[in-house]
Structures are given as C-alpha cells and as structure tokens.
Amino acid sequence: MAASGVEMAFRMLEGRWKMVIIFQLFDAEVLRFSELQRAIRGISEKMLIQQLRDLERDGIVTRTVYPQVPPKVEYRLTPWGQGMCPALDALLEWAARKPQ
C-alpha cells in the first residue's frame, strides 16, 4: 500500500523541471509564465508549458488567465500543492546531511 502511494507521488513529480518549478512557486507564491521562464535557466518554452500542464492536471498548480491584451497568465501552488512544503523542506535537510 505504501509503495503504491510513493510510486504515485514520484509519478506526479517526475521530470527534470517539476521540482524546480515547485520551488520557484514556493518562493514567490504567484508567478507569470515569463517570470518562471526567466527564473529557470535552461528550460525551453515548450518544456515549461508541458511541465506546468502536468502539474496543473495533477492538482499541484493552478493557472489563472486574465482576459487582456497581451494575455496575462499566472501560476500558483494549490493549497494541496503547498502542503508539500514540509516534506520538501525535510528532503532538503536530509540531502544537506550527506556525508562528504
């Protein structure tokens, strides 16, 4: 049972950029697409769109489109996505304790 839960969580977070996107949104709370693109060096526009769509589909990120010209699109973590913060903080602390 626990193994399937871990597998599901890893499936939602797999990919080179998803954790980077999540950490950017933890730090800023709300970011426009262009701000995310500038903040994440090396990610292509296509890949950022794909990763954001996956995160939105999985309920981790919410996307808000404002009807204006040019279009304004903002991304933020859902309350459920924000619930990852303690787990990710624990993961960072664990990684920092790696023996040299």
Side-chain angles (χ1 to χ4, degrees):
M1 186 74 163
S4 65
V6 168
E7 185 179 331
M8 182 186 73
F10 281 146
R11 234 182 290 122
M12 283 190 285
L13 300 174
E14 73 183 343
R16 178 176 178 190
W17 301 106
K18 286 182 184 176
M19 294 302 292
V20 177
I21 293 167
I22 290 167
F23 274 105
Q24 289 294 328
L25 291 171
F26 272 140
D27 192 39
E29 291 186 28
V30 177
L31 287 173
R32 294 178 69 176
F33 182 85
S34 59
E35 293 170 323
L36 274 168
Q37 197 171 21
R38 276 193 303 274
I40 304 171
R41 297 190 185 272
I43 192 168
S44 69
E45 183 175 333
K46 179 182 175 184
M47 182 57 67
L48 181 55
I49 290 168
Q50 178 183 339
Q51 298 286 274
L52 285 166
R53 283 183 183 158
D54 288 350
L55 290 167
E56 185 180 11
R57 178 199 65 222
D58 291 334
I60 297 168
V61 168
T62 186
R63 176 180 186 254
T64 305
V65 179
Y66 297 92
Q68 63 187 50
V69 177
K72 178 181 174 183
V73 180
E74 292 180 340
Y75 294 90
R76 69 184 53 177
L77 293 172
T78 63
W80 186 65
Q82 291 170 356
M84 276 191 283
C85 190
L88 295 177
D89 283 343
L91 182 62
L92 289 173
E93 289 175 22
W94 170 79
R97 291 192 309 263
K98 181 180 182 236
Q100 297 296 327

